[in-house]
Structures are given as structure tokens and as C-alpha cells.
Amino acid sequence: MNMIEIIEKKKLGNALTAEEIDFFVAGAATGSVPDYQLAALLMAIRLNGMNREETKLLTLAMTHSGDVVNLDAIPGIPVDKHSTGGVGDTTTLVLAPLVAACGVPVAKMSGRGLGHTGGTLDKLESIDGFSVSLTEEVFLKQVQSIGLAVIGQTANLAPADKTLYALRDVTSTVDSLPLIASSIVSKKLASGAKGIVLDVKTGAGALMHTTEDSIALAQSMVRIGCDAGRNMVALVTDMGEPLGSHVGNALEVKEAIDVLAGRTGGPLLTVALELGARMLVLGGAAKDVPEGKAKMEAALHSGAGLAKLKEMIVAQGGNPACCDDVSALPQAAVILPCPALESGYIASMDTVGLGNTAQAMGAGRRTKEDVIDPAVGFVMQVRIGDKVAAGEPLATVHAKNDASAREAIAAIQRCIHMSKEAVPPCKLIHAFVSSESVERL
Ligand code: URA
Ligand code: CA
């Protein structure tokens, strides 16, 4: 097989064969094809696309480029959920304990923050002592005994994706439907769950900015997952503004605990219940979405969800004190309000800018070696459509020092755009996508 001929073929807009795709993916996983040829093919795919068959072949080749976790030892139907990435998107920490409390095993491999988006592993590590690196054996035992574990991907999970993702990040080839779909679905197939609910974000803070592009991505991923024998569905949900009000690692853990303790709700809870209800359906614990939602709500109100989170924290070596007293979480040195500079309605937000602001404060990494400051970030006090007067708080910043707080305040003020005219609030759930249909909501 000749890599130059494969690049030439895709450059001219032709479809690649299974053998050609396998050769490329093996080259990415083993290093036998040099980065410059991988990058050239990635750009040809970005510009000329892939058909449905090619996208599926690419995904399956990437899935089998490393270990495929076998969850057969877990009783019941293990389910997983995956978000394409957002800001203030703490749904995993809310829904995973609730779903597990409803009797459906959650065996979840999560990621770290990427670019402007936060990562579940980084959030969990703000809990004193919590470990996200369990061996596969300990991971399976924990899911068998308490029905819930959240860990990092094992080292040899979809290694082709590790190479390709790193190249895409630095060659402007991230925003390609077949490349995103194959990257996400290969990792989900390799991590073993039988039922998978995808949360495809849409809007200013998402990889796909329009509802139609996000639905197309969701359809592509769901088709591949179902063709591969898994039960996969997707919700397209809004990322035109941060989902939860808290942005930052310990702050997002605090918000998840506040939700599970029944002290707060809002859009984060709404989306978590929608996703979780569908996980219960796929896991066989609910006959339909309304029943799933009712079970999730019952687990919330009884405190069973919070108790399950506590069990997971203890099982993974963490100090569960934060579940009873959120002030046990890391606290920032400087807490200051971010005032509105003018009066009006909140019209739109630069959600990527908000995510980048949290990252610059120390909540995310700019290089692989950066160490995260778990305490920093901000708490939004407004949502799109709210009316505010000049001087009223847009957010509260939690910073490591005064200089960082001042920079964050100015950045947040730039990211929140005001209008003199009234603005309607954002729609939260845009569509439900299954292998049979697209339901626009
Ligand atoms: N998340 C991934 O894992 N891969 C992508 O390509 C985009 C988001
Ligand atoms: Ca394995």
C-alpha cells in the first residue's frame, strides 16, 4: 500500500477503500506513516469529506487500533454518555450518580479539558485524594460492587485517535464531521458500554455552531454506533452560553453537589435529567423517557444520587466531606464581583471566550505540562435574556490573586454582549436523534 496514492485519491475527492483506511489508521497507531503524510490526508479529508461507508470504516479501524474493553462481567446493561465538549458542562457529575442509583451500571471513561472546554477528570481531581487512574480490573470490580466508576481512558484505548487528534489540533483539521465522528465514536466503542447517549453541543461554544450541522454530526455518530451493534442515541443541546452557572473545576463539583442535594436546579439539571432518562431507557430500567425522568427525579429527591456520588468518591480514594459541606472543596484566595458596564438585556455570549478566560485563570491547561488550579473560575449570575442594570453582577470571579481577578473581570465583560431590546432565553434541547429518526424539539 502506498500512502502517497491514498492522499492523491482523497485529494481528488474519491472514496477510500477499507484496505486504504486500515493502512492509514495502522500507520497512525504504530507510527509507520510519518506525521506529514497523516496530516496531508487529514486535510484532504477535511476539504473533501468522507461518505457514510468510509466514515464507518474509519471509526471501526480506530476502535480496533488498541484495546477494546470487555464489560461482559458487569451484570445488567452498562451505559455511558459522552458530550462533544462545553463550558460549565457538568452533566456527568449530576447524571452518572442518579443513573447508577436507579440500578443501571455506569462504567465511564472520561477526558480532560481540551481547549476552552472543561474535562470531567480534572473536575473530579479537585476532590481531595480522588484517583481517576484505576486499572481495568479495579474499574470493573468497582462497577460490579457500587454500579459506578469514572476513570481516565486506559493507555491503549484508540491509540490512532491520540496521534490523529494531536495532529488535527495543530493543523486546523478539527472541524470535520467524519473526523469528529470517528474520533468520538471509536473511543466510545472501545470503552465497551452497550448503551451510549451522546450529548452533541451546538452554538457559539460548540464544535458545530449551527443546529443543522450538529444534527448531521449526531446522525453520523448514531448510525455508526448502531451499525457496530451498540444502542446509541443523541441529544443536540445548547452551548450558546455556559450550561451550568459554575465554570472551573472545584466550582463545577460544588454545583453538581448542590444539584444532587436539591439546593439548586436550572438548565444543568434539565439537561442531566433528559440525558439520564435516555440512559435508563437504554439500560432497560425505564420503558420510555417520561418514566426515566420520573425515576431520575425520585433518585434526586430521595438523596440516593448524592449518596451514590459519595460512595464513588470513597471507592476512588477521595474525601467525601465535600458532599456534606461544599466548603471542604478548594477555595480561591480572591472572590470579586464582575459588574455589568451598562444596563440592558443579555443578548449573546462569547462562550469560547468564557471558557478561555477560565483556562487563563488556571482552570485549564495551555500546555500539556500546565498544572490546574482546582479552586479558580467564575460563577455566572446571568443567562441570555436576563435584564440587568449597570453595576449589577454578571458573574463572581474566584481567582488566585488580584491581578488575575481583574483580568478575568475585564474578559467576562467583553464576552457578555448586551442589547437594549428584550431577548428571548435560549432553547436548551434542540433535537433527539435515533437510528430511525430526527425529532426536532
Ligand atoms: N472530542 C473528541 O474526542 N474528538 C473530536 O474530534 C472532537 C471532540
Ligand atoms: Ca483491555
PDB file of all heavy atoms in Angstrom, residues 40-64:
ATOM      1  N   ALA A  40      -1.413  15.464   5.806  1.00  0.00           N
ATOM      2  CA  ALA A  40      -1.883  15.769   4.442  1.00  0.00           C
ATOM      3  C   ALA A  40      -3.203  15.050   4.170  1.00  0.00           C
ATOM      4  O   ALA A  40      -4.139  15.631   3.608  1.00  0.00           O
ATOM      5  CB  ALA A  40      -0.827  15.361   3.419  1.00  0.00           C
ATOM      6  N   LEU A  41      -3.293  13.804   4.597  1.00  0.00           N
ATOM      7  CA  LEU A  41      -4.561  13.080   4.378  1.00  0.00           C
ATOM      8  C   LEU A  41      -5.683  13.677   5.226  1.00  0.00           C
ATOM      9  O   LEU A  41      -6.822  13.791   4.760  1.00  0.00           O
ATOM     10  CB  LEU A  41      -4.391  11.582   4.669  1.00  0.00           C
ATOM     11  CG  LEU A  41      -5.651  10.755   4.387  1.00  0.00           C
ATOM     12  CD1 LEU A  41      -6.094  10.881   2.927  1.00  0.00           C
ATOM     13  CD2 LEU A  41      -5.453   9.291   4.744  1.00  0.00           C
ATOM     14  N   LEU A  42      -5.359  14.066   6.474  1.00  0.00           N
ATOM     15  CA  LEU A  42      -6.384  14.700   7.322  1.00  0.00           C
ATOM     16  C   LEU A  42      -6.942  15.947   6.631  1.00  0.00           C
ATOM     17  O   LEU A  42      -8.155  16.170   6.611  1.00  0.00           O
ATOM     18  CB  LEU A  42      -5.809  15.068   8.694  1.00  0.00           C
ATOM     19  CG  LEU A  42      -5.514  13.895   9.632  1.00  0.00           C
ATOM     20  CD1 LEU A  42      -4.724  14.372  10.858  1.00  0.00           C
ATOM     21  CD2 LEU A  42      -6.808  13.211  10.076  1.00  0.00           C
ATOM     22  N   MET A  43      -6.054  16.762   6.044  1.00  0.00           N
ATOM     23  CA  MET A  43      -6.548  17.980   5.381  1.00  0.00           C
ATOM     24  C   MET A  43      -7.376  17.613   4.140  1.00  0.00           C
ATOM     25  O   MET A  43      -8.408  18.249   3.868  1.00  0.00           O
ATOM     26  CB  MET A  43      -5.382  18.907   5.007  1.00  0.00           C
ATOM     27  CG  MET A  43      -5.832  20.244   4.414  1.00  0.00           C
ATOM     28  SD  MET A  43      -6.975  21.184   5.485  1.00  0.00           S
ATOM     29  CE  MET A  43      -5.813  22.030   6.565  1.00  0.00           C
ATOM     30  N   ALA A  44      -6.965  16.589   3.402  1.00  0.00           N
ATOM     31  CA  ALA A  44      -7.759  16.162   2.236  1.00  0.00           C
ATOM     32  C   ALA A  44      -9.139  15.681   2.692  1.00  0.00           C
ATOM     33  O   ALA A  44     -10.153  15.971   2.049  1.00  0.00           O
ATOM     34  CB  ALA A  44      -7.030  15.067   1.463  1.00  0.00           C
ATOM     35  N   ILE A  45      -9.195  14.980   3.835  1.00  0.00           N
ATOM     36  CA  ILE A  45     -10.498  14.535   4.373  1.00  0.00           C
ATOM     37  C   ILE A  45     -11.305  15.755   4.821  1.00  0.00           C
ATOM     38  O   ILE A  45     -12.505  15.852   4.557  1.00  0.00           O
ATOM     39  CB  ILE A  45     -10.301  13.539   5.543  1.00  0.00           C
ATOM     40  CG1 ILE A  45      -9.666  12.236   5.043  1.00  0.00           C
ATOM     41  CG2 ILE A  45     -11.643  13.266   6.240  1.00  0.00           C
ATOM     42  CD1 ILE A  45      -9.238  11.273   6.153  1.00  0.00           C
ATOM     43  N   ARG A  46     -10.641  16.697   5.488  1.00  0.00           N
ATOM     44  CA  ARG A  46     -11.334  17.906   5.941  1.00  0.00           C
ATOM     45  C   ARG A  46     -11.961  18.655   4.760  1.00  0.00           C
ATOM     46  O   ARG A  46     -13.066  19.164   4.843  1.00  0.00           O
ATOM     47  CB  ARG A  46     -10.359  18.810   6.711  1.00  0.00           C
ATOM     48  CG  ARG A  46     -10.803  20.262   6.913  1.00  0.00           C
ATOM     49  CD  ARG A  46     -12.070  20.380   7.771  1.00  0.00           C
ATOM     50  NE  ARG A  46     -12.510  21.761   7.918  1.00  0.00           N
ATOM     51  CZ  ARG A  46     -13.212  22.446   7.023  1.00  0.00           C
ATOM     52  NH1 ARG A  46     -13.562  21.874   5.888  1.00  0.00           N
ATOM     53  NH2 ARG A  46     -13.566  23.691   7.251  1.00  0.00           N
ATOM     54  N   LEU A  47     -11.231  18.710   3.636  1.00  0.00           N
ATOM     55  CA  LEU A  47     -11.719  19.502   2.490  1.00  0.00           C
ATOM     56  C   LEU A  47     -12.705  18.714   1.629  1.00  0.00           C
ATOM     57  O   LEU A  47     -13.663  19.286   1.116  1.00  0.00           O
ATOM     58  CB  LEU A  47     -10.536  19.979   1.642  1.00  0.00           C
ATOM     59  CG  LEU A  47      -9.601  20.963   2.373  1.00  0.00           C
ATOM     60  CD1 LEU A  47      -8.401  21.318   1.503  1.00  0.00           C
ATOM     61  CD2 LEU A  47     -10.348  22.244   2.778  1.00  0.00           C
ATOM     62  N   ASN A  48     -12.484  17.422   1.449  1.00  0.00           N
ATOM     63  CA  ASN A  48     -13.319  16.653   0.514  1.00  0.00           C
ATOM     64  C   ASN A  48     -14.296  15.702   1.182  1.00  0.00           C
ATOM     65  O   ASN A  48     -15.102  15.066   0.511  1.00  0.00           O
ATOM     66  CB  ASN A  48     -12.429  15.896  -0.483  1.00  0.00           C
ATOM     67  CG  ASN A  48     -11.787  16.865  -1.467  1.00  0.00           C
ATOM     68  OD1 ASN A  48     -12.401  17.877  -1.806  1.00  0.00           O
ATOM     69  ND2 ASN A  48     -10.566  16.601  -1.883  1.00  0.00           N
ATOM     70  N   GLY A  49     -14.221  15.565   2.494  1.00  0.00           N
ATOM     71  CA  GLY A  49     -15.209  14.766   3.219  1.00  0.00           C
ATOM     72  C   GLY A  49     -15.023  13.271   3.044  1.00  0.00           C
ATOM     73  O   GLY A  49     -14.071  12.796   2.403  1.00  0.00           O
ATOM     74  N   MET A  50     -15.921  12.532   3.672  1.00  0.00           N
ATOM     75  CA  MET A  50     -15.949  11.065   3.544  1.00  0.00           C
ATOM     76  C   MET A  50     -17.408  10.676   3.442  1.00  0.00           C
ATOM     77  O   MET A  50     -18.269  11.301   4.068  1.00  0.00           O
ATOM     78  CB  MET A  50     -15.346  10.413   4.784  1.00  0.00           C
ATOM     79  CG  MET A  50     -13.833  10.338   4.783  1.00  0.00           C
ATOM     80  SD  MET A  50     -13.244   9.352   6.175  1.00  0.00           S
ATOM     81  CE  MET A  50     -11.846   8.532   5.404  1.00  0.00           C
ATOM     82  N   ASN A  51     -17.690   9.626   2.689  1.00  0.00           N
ATOM     83  CA  ASN A  51     -19.075   9.160   2.631  1.00  0.00           C
ATOM     84  C   ASN A  51     -19.372   8.312   3.872  1.00  0.00           C
ATOM     85  O   ASN A  51     -18.510   8.074   4.716  1.00  0.00           O
ATOM     86  CB  ASN A  51     -19.368   8.425   1.309  1.00  0.00           C
ATOM     87  CG  ASN A  51     -18.582   7.124   1.199  1.00  0.00           C
ATOM     88  OD1 ASN A  51     -18.304   6.472   2.199  1.00  0.00           O
ATOM     89  ND2 ASN A  51     -18.231   6.750  -0.028  1.00  0.00           N
ATOM     90  N   ARG A  52     -20.623   7.879   3.973  1.00  0.00           N
ATOM     91  CA  ARG A  52     -21.078   7.162   5.159  1.00  0.00           C
ATOM     92  C   ARG A  52     -20.266   5.891   5.405  1.00  0.00           C
ATOM     93  O   ARG A  52     -19.843   5.609   6.532  1.00  0.00           O
ATOM     94  CB  ARG A  52     -22.553   6.826   4.927  1.00  0.00           C
ATOM     95  CG  ARG A  52     -23.239   6.249   6.101  1.00  0.00           C
ATOM     96  CD  ARG A  52     -24.725   6.213   5.819  1.00  0.00           C
ATOM     97  NE  ARG A  52     -25.353   5.288   6.743  1.00  0.00           N
ATOM     98  CZ  ARG A  52     -26.658   5.072   6.785  1.00  0.00           C
ATOM     99  NH1 ARG A  52     -27.458   5.692   5.955  1.00  0.00           N
ATOM    100  NH2 ARG A  52     -27.156   4.229   7.667  1.00  0.00           N
ATOM    101  N   GLU A  53     -20.006   5.141   4.335  1.00  0.00           N
ATOM    102  CA  GLU A  53     -19.260   3.888   4.453  1.00  0.00           C
ATOM    103  C   GLU A  53     -17.818   4.155   4.902  1.00  0.00           C
ATOM    104  O   GLU A  53     -17.300   3.484   5.795  1.00  0.00           O
ATOM    105  CB  GLU A  53     -19.300   3.147   3.108  1.00  0.00           C
ATOM    106  CG  GLU A  53     -18.610   1.789   3.094  1.00  0.00           C
ATOM    107  CD  GLU A  53     -19.276   0.756   4.001  1.00  0.00           C
ATOM    108  OE1 GLU A  53     -20.432   0.981   4.428  1.00  0.00           O
ATOM    109  OE2 GLU A  53     -18.622  -0.262   4.293  1.00  0.00           O
ATOM    110  N   GLU A  54     -17.181   5.140   4.305  1.00  0.00           N
ATOM    111  CA  GLU A  54     -15.794   5.480   4.685  1.00  0.00           C
ATOM    112  C   GLU A  54     -15.720   5.896   6.161  1.00  0.00           C
ATOM    113  O   GLU A  54     -14.796   5.517   6.877  1.00  0.00           O
ATOM    114  CB  GLU A  54     -15.279   6.676   3.868  1.00  0.00           C
ATOM    115  CG  GLU A  54     -14.934   6.426   2.428  1.00  0.00           C
ATOM    116  CD  GLU A  54     -14.548   7.754   1.765  1.00  0.00           C
ATOM    117  OE1 GLU A  54     -15.447   8.586   1.501  1.00  0.00           O
ATOM    118  OE2 GLU A  54     -13.349   7.955   1.523  1.00  0.00           O
ATOM    119  N   THR A  55     -16.699   6.709   6.600  1.00  0.00           N
ATOM    120  CA  THR A  55     -16.680   7.202   7.982  1.00  0.00           C
ATOM    121  C   THR A  55     -16.804   6.038   8.948  1.00  0.00           C
ATOM    122  O   THR A  55     -16.133   5.971   9.981  1.00  0.00           O
ATOM    123  CB  THR A  55     -17.817   8.223   8.199  1.00  0.00           C
ATOM    124  OG1 THR A  55     -17.741   9.221   7.183  1.00  0.00           O
ATOM    125  CG2 THR A  55     -17.723   8.886   9.564  1.00  0.00           C
ATOM    126  N   LYS A  56     -17.667   5.085   8.589  1.00  0.00           N
ATOM    127  CA  LYS A  56     -17.833   3.893   9.437  1.00  0.00           C
ATOM    128  C   LYS A  56     -16.545   3.058   9.457  1.00  0.00           C
ATOM    129  O   LYS A  56     -16.090   2.625  10.527  1.00  0.00           O
ATOM    130  CB  LYS A  56     -19.002   3.070   8.879  1.00  0.00           C
ATOM    131  CG  LYS A  56     -19.230   1.765   9.581  1.00  0.00           C
ATOM    132  CD  LYS A  56     -20.410   1.058   8.966  1.00  0.00           C
ATOM    133  CE  LYS A  56     -20.247  -0.444   9.053  1.00  0.00           C
ATOM    134  NZ  LYS A  56     -21.334  -1.131   8.337  1.00  0.00           N
ATOM    135  N   LEU A  57     -15.951   2.843   8.286  1.00  0.00           N
ATOM    136  CA  LEU A  57     -14.712   2.054   8.230  1.00  0.00           C
ATOM    137  C   LEU A  57     -13.604   2.733   9.031  1.00  0.00           C
ATOM    138  O   LEU A  57     -12.840   2.073   9.746  1.00  0.00           O
ATOM    139  CB  LEU A  57     -14.270   1.876   6.764  1.00  0.00           C
ATOM    140  CG  LEU A  57     -15.175   0.988   5.905  1.00  0.00           C
ATOM    141  CD1 LEU A  57     -14.785   1.113   4.428  1.00  0.00           C
ATOM    142  CD2 LEU A  57     -15.096  -0.477   6.368  1.00  0.00           C
ATOM    143  N   LEU A  58     -13.519   4.063   8.934  1.00  0.00           N
ATOM    144  CA  LEU A  58     -12.500   4.806   9.683  1.00  0.00           C
ATOM    145  C   LEU A  58     -12.720   4.620  11.189  1.00  0.00           C
ATOM    146  O   LEU A  58     -11.782   4.351  11.944  1.00  0.00           O
ATOM    147  CB  LEU A  58     -12.572   6.300   9.304  1.00  0.00           C
ATOM    148  CG  LEU A  58     -11.638   7.243  10.064  1.00  0.00           C
ATOM    149  CD1 LEU A  58     -10.173   6.861   9.836  1.00  0.00           C
ATOM    150  CD2 LEU A  58     -11.867   8.700   9.633  1.00  0.00           C
ATOM    151  N   THR A  59     -13.972   4.724  11.621  1.00  0.00           N
ATOM    152  CA  THR A  59     -14.282   4.592  13.052  1.00  0.00           C
ATOM    153  C   THR A  59     -13.919   3.195  13.560  1.00  0.00           C
ATOM    154  O   THR A  59     -13.307   3.051  14.625  1.00  0.00           O
ATOM    155  CB  THR A  59     -15.784   4.845  13.286  1.00  0.00           C
ATOM    156  OG1 THR A  59     -16.127   6.098  12.707  1.00  0.00           O
ATOM    157  CG2 THR A  59     -16.111   4.851  14.767  1.00  0.00           C
ATOM    158  N   LEU A  60     -14.315   2.176  12.803  1.00  0.00           N
ATOM    159  CA  LEU A  60     -14.049   0.804  13.264  1.00  0.00           C
ATOM    160  C   LEU A  60     -12.554   0.520  13.284  1.00  0.00           C
ATOM    161  O   LEU A  60     -12.042  -0.118  14.212  1.00  0.00           O
ATOM    162  CB  LEU A  60     -14.799  -0.204  12.395  1.00  0.00           C
ATOM    163  CG  LEU A  60     -16.335  -0.080  12.488  1.00  0.00           C
ATOM    164  CD1 LEU A  60     -17.018  -1.082  11.572  1.00  0.00           C
ATOM    165  CD2 LEU A  60     -16.830  -0.248  13.930  1.00  0.00           C
ATOM    166  N   ALA A  61     -11.825   1.018  12.287  1.00  0.00           N
ATOM    167  CA  ALA A  61     -10.371   0.820  12.276  1.00  0.00           C
ATOM    168  C   ALA A  61      -9.745   1.504  13.493  1.00  0.00           C
ATOM    169  O   ALA A  61      -8.854   0.941  14.147  1.00  0.00           O
ATOM    170  CB  ALA A  61      -9.781   1.378  10.984  1.00  0.00           C
ATOM    171  N   MET A  62     -10.226   2.702  13.839  1.00  0.00           N
ATOM    172  CA  MET A  62      -9.674   3.408  15.003  1.00  0.00           C
ATOM    173  C   MET A  62     -10.037   2.687  16.301  1.00  0.00           C
ATOM    174  O   MET A  62      -9.226   2.583  17.226  1.00  0.00           O
ATOM    175  CB  MET A  62     -10.166   4.863  15.029  1.00  0.00           C
ATOM    176  CG  MET A  62      -9.463   5.693  13.956  1.00  0.00           C
ATOM    177  SD  MET A  62     -10.225   7.285  13.667  1.00  0.00           S
ATOM    178  CE  MET A  62      -9.925   8.107  15.207  1.00  0.00           C
ATOM    179  N   THR A  63     -11.269   2.163  16.384  1.00  0.00           N
ATOM    180  CA  THR A  63     -11.684   1.402  17.574  1.00  0.00           C
ATOM    181  C   THR A  63     -10.718   0.248  17.818  1.00  0.00           C
ATOM    182  O   THR A  63     -10.307  -0.010  18.953  1.00  0.00           O
ATOM    183  CB  THR A  63     -13.100   0.819  17.371  1.00  0.00           C
ATOM    184  OG1 THR A  63     -13.991   1.877  17.039  1.00  0.00           O
ATOM    185  CG2 THR A  63     -13.588   0.090  18.612  1.00  0.00           C
ATOM    186  N   HIS A  64     -10.380  -0.468  16.738  1.00  0.00           N
ATOM    187  CA  HIS A  64      -9.558  -1.676  16.876  1.00  0.00           C
ATOM    188  C   HIS A  64      -8.066  -1.394  16.773  1.00  0.00           C
ATOM    189  O   HIS A  64      -7.271  -2.319  16.703  1.00  0.00           O
ATOM    190  CB  HIS A  64     -10.025  -2.723  15.872  1.00  0.00           C
ATOM    191  CG  HIS A  64     -11.429  -3.178  16.164  1.00  0.00           C
ATOM    192  ND1 HIS A  64     -11.736  -3.968  17.255  1.00  0.00           N
ATOM    193  CD2 HIS A  64     -12.614  -2.874  15.583  1.00  0.00           C
ATOM    194  CE1 HIS A  64     -13.046  -4.153  17.305  1.00  0.00           C
ATOM    195  NE2 HIS A  64     -13.607  -3.498  16.302  1.00  0.00           N
TER     196      HIS A  64
END
